[in-house]
Amino acid sequence: MNKTQSAIIKVLLKDNRATYEDLARTIGVDRTTIRRNIAVLKEIGAIRRVGEDKNGYWEVLLDIKIVD
């Protein structure tokens, strides 16, 4: 998992309803970078989308302990 993917996981653990725009702004990368990394995270089974795009949320499927 790369640095951006780790940052995405960290944000989603705090706010599972974060949008691509929220993630891009929080992490400080382009929305395209977020979209590409989300695709990888879904492909490897680290996250999944639950529900609709508008009303759904992200579920983190990894057992990760966040240390600030």
Side-chain angles (χ1 to χ4, degrees), residues 7 9 23 25 27 30-32 34 37 42 46 48 51 54 56 61 63 67:
I9 295 289
L23 291 166
R25 187 174 36 256
I27 296 169
D30 190 72
R31 189 178 185 277
T32 303
I34 295 296
N37 282 278
K42 290 192 315 190
R48 74 179 177 124
K54 295 270 184 188
L61 303 171
D63 186 23
V67 178

Side-chain angles (χ1 to χ4, degrees), residues 55-66:
N55 300 321
Y57 61 92
W58 293 104
E59 182 177 23
V60 177
L61 303 171
L62 300 175
D63 186 23
I64 296 178
K65 194 176 281 189
I66 297 298

